[in-house]
Every structure is written in structure tokens, then in C-alpha cells.
Amino acid sequence: MEQTWRWFGPEDVVQLSHVRQTGATGIVTALHHIPYGVVWPVEEIKARKALIESDSSLQLRWSVVESLPVHESIKIGEGRLAPLFGNYRQSLRNLAECGITTVCYNFMPVIDWARTELAFPLPGGGTALRFNAHEYAAFDCFMLQRPRAEADHSPDVLALAKKWFDNSSESDRKRLLANIMAGLPGAFDRYDIPGLRRVLERYKDVDTGQLRENLATFLREIIPVAEEVGIRMCIHPDDPPRSLMGLPRIVSNEDDLGFILSVINSPANGLTLCSGSLGASASNDVPAIAKRFADRIWFAHLRNVSKEPDGSFMEADHLGGDTDMVAVVIALLEEQKRRLEAGVPYWRIPMRPDHGHELLDDVGKPTHPGYPAIGRLKGLAELRGVMTAVAALRSLPL
């Protein structure tokens, strides 16, 4: 697999020279400064690509776009969508013109990944991302005061949520809101409580079936052009794979993925396998999902989580947690072998270590939450060891 690294652009604390020291050679990035729904100009794409390749000694390349965002109006299905679809198609054409042909995107309403703690303490002084079910319930029921929110939480979780809320200070509540909003790196929309209520009102008529249909419309509008220009689109699973704030989530399990890939049966309509997102649900067998959809996986996020009975979970070590990471790696390497033997030119699957712990000298640095250098370096080193061992034992191409 191609070892890649998410880089947030020139302002990222983790520099390109640091990325090369990790052993990664592919860069995963996006033009975060361009507003959602606006065309990515060729000149901007070329400038970012030139920056990545400016030091030839690093031998880095722009491997994957993550993400080319889908405008909220497309998800809701409101207003004049033709210009937004047209702009998205033009961005794909411009990326293909510049030789960038793997595009990760998501269809999560309002927010991307969500956590309630960004610096949960680990033994020895490190920190991890964590989702506490009771803190999320406190936010949903008592801060956001969403109508009928209590029905979405168990009595035990609600009791803990009420206790947390009653004992919380204004700064505790502000921090919780900021933590939940932190899963929008580079986003132009940051919501306060009134803002969240307004955007949720826009979704009042969008249930699971309607959101599925809106995604199907997006795919029908976009995938033919992606196929035409040689781009492989790969949708990212919901993180976490559950409803948040009453909003439907439609990329959460094996059935969802099967539906999405069936809308247009094309190699251009593919999947980002995120083992951590899918692994946050006890009902998901991540290695089985990897095997079933292997021929449509064009990108992989490899990380692990430890789940708790009430729905809470925490980012674990990459080889720890509840997902059998070795089995996931075997599935991906076996798919690579199939592609290579079939003569598929893009047979290698780009992978990146996702959501590392904050460790050692990274503690306290202003990195994006979940994206410190040392924790991801540790994860990449562990995953590289598994990949190398599996490839050697099973005669599989790396």
C-alpha cells in the first residue's frame, strides 16, 4: 500500500520535511481556503502540487484529495443545485488535468467527525480523542435543547448527562461545543447553539430515505464525469456511525455501503475504508466489510477504537482497540494482488494512519485535533510492520 499522510497545507505545524521523516511518500490534502461549492481553479491546484513537490529530495506527491466538500444545500436538496453540481464537476476536471485522480469526500450532515473530548489523558501524559455518550447527550438535550432529543438516549446515559450539565460551568459548556465543532478542519461554517438550531431546521424534512435519495442524485450528477476524466471518488463513512442531533446518517454500515455502490456500478463510485469510523459500531465487522467491498476501495484510513456498552468510545492504539487490524490489512493486500494480476494500473491502495495520540513533544502543540506528528508516526510504523510481515508470509505485493 502507498503510505500517505494527511497534511493541512502551508499553515500545518507538521511540515512536509517532517512528513518525509515518517516514511510516508504520499500527501493527502485539500484546498481548505476555498469555500464549499466554489470551483477549485487549476492555478490553485497546480500551486499546491508545486509546493508539495518543491523539494525534490523529499520525493513527495499529492496522492489523494481529502476532501472535496459537498455543499450543505446538496445534502439537504434545497435551492438551485445545478450550479453547485456544475462547480463540483469542474473541480474534478481541473484535478484530473493536474494528474490528481483519487478524491475522498463525505455526505455527513452539518458536522464531520464528532468527539466530546480532544485531550483525554493517557497513562504517562499523552492524550487521545474520546466520545462520551453522556456528554454528547448533555449537549443534545440540555444545551441544544433539541425537541424530543431524550428519546435518542438511554435512561442511564440521560441520568449521567443531567448530572454533568447541572455540575458544568459556562466554560465547560463552551469547551464541549468547541470540541464537537472541531471535526470540521478547514470548514467555513462554525456553529454556535443558535446557528446549529437554524441549520437543523433546514433538515426538518430530510429523513434517512430523503438523504439517501439526495446522495443518489449527487452520484448521478457527478460520477459520469469522474469516470470520464479518470477520477476515483471514494466516500468516507460516518464518524461516528450513528445519528447525531437527530440528523440521519447514511454511510454507517454494510447495507449503506452496498446501497451507495449500487446506485452507479462504476469504478469511479468507490469507498474510503475508515476502520475507525466503521469500527465505532458494534454491529460492523470491519474485516468482512473490507473483503466484501475490496474491489471498490480506493483509499484507506487505518485507526482503531475501543468501544463501551453505552456508546462511548476512544481512539485506541492503531493495533489495539476492537478491530482486528491485521485482518483488515490482509484483505487490502490481497485485493492489491488481485488488481496487479488483473493488470489494473492503479493497483496500490493509498493508506494513511488516522487520528494518532498526542505524545511526547507533541503534547500542547497547536496541531489539528487527532493529527499530531508523533502519534501518527507511531501508528504508521506499527501498520508498516504489519504490512511488511503479512506481505512476506503470504507472498503479497506491498
Side-chain angles (χ1 to χ4, degrees):
M1 285 182 275
E2 180 187 15
Q3 297 170 39
T4 69
W5 190 270
R6 191 168 192 184
W7 181 64
F8 292 96
E11 305 305 316
D12 197 329
V13 173
V14 183
Q15 301 171 23
L16 290 172
S17 58
H18 301 157
V19 175
R20 191 63 184 89
Q21 291 177 48
T22 71
T25 56
I27 296 297
V28 177
T29 194
L31 303 181
H32 293 299
H33 59 287
I34 297 180
Y36 292 9
V38 176
V39 173
W40 285 16
V42 168
E43 295 75 16
E44 293 273 5
I45 298 168
K46 286 183 176 179
R48 178 59 57 88
K49 186 177 180 183
L51 179 61
I52 292 168
E53 298 173 355
S54 60
D55 185 343
S56 60
S57 70
L58 300 181
Q59 297 182 310
L60 298 175
R61 76 180 193 102
W62 189 352
S63 175
V64 179
V65 170
E66 185 179 354
S67 297
L68 182 56
V70 179
H71 195 277
E72 208 69 37
S73 292
I74 292 175
K75 299 175 188 177
I76 298 170
E78 67 176 10
R80 292 183 63 248
L81 299 182
L84 293 174
F85 289 134
N87 288 352
Y88 204 100
R89 288 191 291 262
Q90 189 58 51
S91 293
L92 293 181
R93 291 188 181 100
N94 292 349
L95 285 164
E97 180 181 332
C98 297
I100 303 162
T101 56
T102 304
V103 175
C104 175
Y105 70 103
N106 76 69
F107 217 77
M108 291 180 254
V110 183
I111 61 173
D112 291 357
W113 60 265
R115 302 292 185 272
T116 61
E117 289 191 72
L118 305 183
F120 182 80
L122 298 171
T127 69
L129 301 179
R130 181 175 170 84
F131 182 92
N132 288 318
H134 73 281
E135 288 183 339
Y136 163 66
F139 174 82
D140 192 27
C141 299
F142 308 122
M143 290 174 58
L144 188 59
Q145 297 179 345
R146 181 174 62 86
R148 299 176 296 281
E150 288 82 359
D152 291 345
H153 307 279
S154 72
D156 289 345
V157 167
L158 278 175
L160 290 173
K162 186 65 166 63
K163 182 178 180 181
W164 182 93
F165 181 77
D166 289 343
N167 292 327
S168 64
S169 64
E170 185 62 26
S171 63
D172 291 332
R173 297 171 192 175
K174 286 182 178 179
R175 182 171 59 251
L176 180 58
L177 172 63
N179 289 351
I180 291 174
M181 289 295 103
L184 289 166
F188 280 78
D189 290 327
R190 283 290 192 272
Y191 303 108
D192 56 12
I193 295 296
L196 270 174
R197 289 173 181 154
R198 287 192 294 270
V199 75
L200 291 178
E201 177 65 18
R202 293 170 63 193
Y203 273 93
K204 67 181 186 301
D205 297 323
V206 181
D207 59 11
T208 297
Q210 186 59 57
L211 189 62
R212 268 194 169 194
E213 184 52 40
N214 294 347
L215 173 55
T217 298
F218 171 78
L219 294 173
R220 294 184 188 110
E221 291 281 346
I222 299 303
I223 295 301
V225 168
E227 188 170 23
E228 172 192 329
V229 300
I231 278 185
R232 294 172 296 283
M233 299 286 292
C234 33
I235 194 167
H236 188 285
D238 301 324
D239 183 13
R242 55 165 291 176
S243 172
L244 293 178
M245 296 178 286
L247 295 165
R249 293 259 187 161
I250 57 168
V251 197
S252 291
N253 55 49
E254 187 171 350
D255 288 343
D256 289 340
L257 299 177
F259 168 79
I260 292 164
L261 299 181
S262 72
V263 171
I264 297 182
N265 187 15
S266 165
N269 181 24
L271 168 67
T272 296
L273 181 78
C274 182
S275 57
S277 296
L278 292 168
S281 170
S283 63
N284 286 333
D285 183 335
V286 181
I289 290 173
K291 290 178 183 178
R292 176 179 171 184
F293 301 114
D295 65 339
R296 302 282 280 277
I297 295 172
W298 303 126
F299 185 31
H301 293 176
L302 300 183
R303 63 181 175 88
N304 225 321
V305 297
S306 296
K307 299 183 290 293
E308 297 168 23
D310 68 352
S312 301
F313 62 89
M314 190 176 77
E315 305 283 353
D317 290 332
H318 285 73
L319 301 185
D322 300 328
T323 295
D324 185 345
M325 193 63 70
V326 175
V328 172
V329 169
I330 289 172
L332 296 177
L333 291 180
E334 287 181 341
E335 171 59 16
Q336 284 196 159
K337 181 180 181 181
R338 185 199 67 79
R339 294 179 190 179
L340 183 61
E341 292 175 347
V344 177
Y346 38 86
W347 61 272
R348 296 185 78 206
I349 299 172
M351 59 74 66
R352 67 172 178 85
D354 201 9
H355 290 190
H357 292 163
E358 191 177 65
L359 303 171
L360 303 174
D361 291 346
D362 273 342
V363 174
K365 285 185 179 178
T367 54
H368 288 275
Y371 291 95
I374 297 172
R376 285 187 290 162
L377 166 62
K378 176 176 178 284
L380 180 58
E382 293 170 346
L383 293 166
R384 182 185 297 131
V386 170
M387 290 159 49
T388 303
V390 166
L393 291 171
R394 292 177 173 246
S395 300
L396 297 171
L398 276 172

